[in-house]
Amino acid sequence: SAQIADLQQKLLDADNGDRVKQRWDSIATILEAKCALKYLLGELVSSKVQESKLESSLQQSKANCSDIQKMLIEERNHVTEVEAEFQNQLLVQEQHHQEKV
């Protein structure tokens, strides 16, 4: 029964794909063509709007990434400066210790 259900589902899927193709192939009147064209233009507009939103989001993400990279570089430079200062202080402390010894 599971195999039968699987085969029936495959037939339904294949039939749906064929129906869509047949629907486009069977456009015979100007009215049907106008309706199809109206639908396609609506889909085109929807796609363009979505593309615009995604492009805007991408640009915002790129700007955020650039800002984060700048902050990372600044933090690395700061860490390097602090580390150099620490090494200098360590050297001074060692010199003072040597003098005491």
Side-chain angles (χ1 to χ4, degrees), residues 85-101:
E85 185 179 323
F86 174 74
Q87 290 294 333
N88 190 24
Q89 289 177 356
L90 185 62
L91 184 62
V92 168
Q93 290 294 329
E94 287 177 2
Q95 288 175 352
H96 286 308
H97 179 70
Q98 290 297 328
E99 289 174 5
K100 286 182 183 180
V101 170

Side-chain angles (χ1 to χ4, degrees), residues 58-71:
L58 176 63
Q59 293 301 324
Q60 183 66 34
S61 295
K62 283 182 179 180
N64 290 343
C65 181
S66 178
D67 291 343
I68 290 171
Q69 285 178 336
K70 287 177 186 176
M71 286 175 34

Side-chain angles (χ1 to χ4, degrees), residues 36-52:
L37 188 58
K38 184 177 179 181
Y39 170 78
L40 289 174
L41 288 175
E43 289 296 311
L44 177 65
V45 168
S46 175
S47 295
K48 288 289 185 178
V49 168
Q50 186 177 5
E51 177 191 19
S52 176

